[in-house]
Amino acid sequence: PKPNAPCPCGSSSKCERCCDDSPRDRRGLRAAAGGAAGAAQQQLNRPPQRPTTPTNNAACAAGPSNDAHAGVAQAHGAHEAQTQQAAAGASSDARTGTITQNTHQARTRQAALAGERRAQFSLGLALEQAGDTAGAIEWLSRAAEQGMAEAAYNLGVIYREGGSAADGPGVDHAAAYRWFRHAAEQGIGNAGYLLGCYCAHGAEGVAQDAEAAAWWWGKAAAEGHAHAQYNVATCYRDGVGVGKDLTTAAAWYTRAADQGVAAAQTALGTLYRLGQGVEVDTHLAVMLNARAASQGDATAMYNLSVMHGVLDFDERLEWARKAVEAAESAGETGATALL
């Protein structure tokens, strides 16, 4: 600033710190400024240095050593070796499993050729699962001819369904009936049940015979087959194939109901509601129908909707709605008229 001019720092007069214009002070200021500028230029001209992170570990501050790099490489190599070893082990296990399976199959075939019926049965099942129906029939037949009931039953299923492969025998109800009979005579309950169904409805090569149906169902029922128990109970209730006997019908319905057959629970509930073959028990009738209704039985729902004097109107109306919904979902017509 010029002498006697206001100070640039904002003071109204010169101040000694900023505005002393003596030649000596001006030269000092220029020299100081020039020295500072030169030092700054020298600092800029120096080569840049790598920054270091303060740490208590001198080795870390200096960067990883060759030993550290070697350790990382060694660990990576060990990991790859372990991975390759594991893969080799898995491949070896797979080969071992395949060899074991092939060895087992070879032994089974050898035993089957030697005439062991259990091995023949196992071989027949394996071939059926593999899609070789013709081979399955051959070995199952050999086992069945030696009196193996399970093999005879499986043959019946193959002929009833026609086989699952291109080389299957096709549906042959007469052959199925014959093999099912072999199995049923040896105590296979489901075979007896299916024989009863064949006799009840008839099929190509199988004559319809209500008495034979009731007999086969009765045999299977005695062996504990739940649906056979229901069917034979219905035979006794309606007098089809056997003399009508509501007491016996109630006994068989009870056994089937205890095994969870919804239709048997509904039928038994009706017997208790009407007092047919048993004493009247409306509360037990409600309980049985409710069990069947919980399994989706529309008839049981309808029965609950007409339980006058046992259930109130709102409860009966709700069961009627459920009965209609269940019947319509099953494709039954006229369900809305019921509501």
Side-chain angles (χ1 to χ4, degrees):
K2 295 180 179 180
N4 302 322
C7 181
C9 68
S11 175
S12 60
S13 60
K14 294 186 295 182
C15 66
E16 294 180 356
R17 180 173 60 86
C18 298
C19 303
D20 189 347
D21 57 353
S22 64
R24 177 184 55 79
D25 292 335
R26 287 197 295 270
R27 288 193 300 270
L29 288 172
R30 286 196 295 269
Q41 185 64 40
Q42 292 178 1
Q43 182 69 23
L44 289 173
N45 291 333
R46 291 177 184 176
Q49 296 181 356
R50 183 186 300 275
T52 59
T53 302
T55 177
N56 293 329
N57 191 331
C60 291
S65 65
N66 293 334
D67 291 341
H69 285 295
V72 171
Q74 183 178 3
H76 181 68
H79 174 71
E80 287 189 348
Q82 291 176 355
T83 302
Q84 293 174 359
Q85 184 178 2
S91 177
S92 177
D93 291 343
R95 288 195 300 270
T96 301
T98 301
I99 293 172
T100 301
Q101 183 179 6
N102 292 339
T103 301
H104 176 71
Q105 291 177 352
R107 290 177 178 175
T108 300
R109 181 175 290 275
Q110 185 177 4
L113 290 170
E116 295 183 11
R117 66 177 191 173
R118 177 61 62 179
Q120 293 170 342
F121 173 67
S122 298
L123 183 58
L125 290 182
L127 291 172
E128 182 183 8
Q129 292 175 356
D132 185 357
T133 306
I137 290 174
E138 176 186 354
W139 288 106
L140 289 173
S141 297
R142 294 190 186 189
E145 288 167 358
Q146 294 194 68
M148 191 169 191
E150 294 87 349
Y153 175 79
N154 279 274
L155 282 169
V157 172
I158 290 175
Y159 281 107
R160 180 171 179 259
E161 298 176 352
S164 57
D167 62 343
V171 175
D172 187 340
H173 293 298
Y177 181 89
R178 183 174 66 254
W179 286 116
F180 281 144
R181 181 163 184 164
H182 281 300
E185 289 173 346
Q186 298 180 70
I188 303 295
N190 203 52
Y193 168 75
L194 292 174
L195 285 173
C197 294
Y198 265 125
C199 294
H201 304 290
E204 185 178 355
V206 181
Q208 189 173 10
D209 188 337
E211 291 185 5
W215 191 90
W216 284 115
W217 281 334
K219 185 179 187 303
E223 292 165 350
H225 195 285
H227 291 283
Q229 291 170 347
Y230 168 77
N231 285 358
V232 75
T234 303
C235 289
Y236 279 105
R237 183 194 65 185
D238 299 338
V240 177
V242 291
K244 187 171 183 177
D245 187 338
L246 293 177
T247 301
T248 302
W252 282 118
Y253 278 139
T254 299
R255 294 191 184 185
D258 289 342
Q259 295 198 66
V261 179
Q265 294 168 346
T266 301
L268 185 59
T270 299
L271 294 183
Y272 275 106
R273 181 169 63 88
L274 300 176
Q276 296 178 341
V278 291
E279 294 183 0
V280 174
D281 190 332
T282 54
H283 293 288
L284 184 55
V286 170
M287 183 186 70
L288 288 166
N289 279 281
R291 287 181 182 177
S294 67
Q295 298 186 60
D297 190 290
T299 302
M301 297 175 190
Y302 167 76
N303 290 345
L304 290 168
S305 72
V306 296
M307 291 284 188
H308 301 279
V310 181
L311 302 178
D312 60 33
F313 177 79
D314 291 337
E315 289 178 308
R316 291 188 288 107
L317 181 60
E318 181 61 24
W319 280 118
R321 293 182 189 277
K322 291 181 178 180
V324 169
E325 292 174 359
E328 289 181 343
S329 65
E332 298 181 11
T333 59
T336 305
L338 166 65
L339 182 59

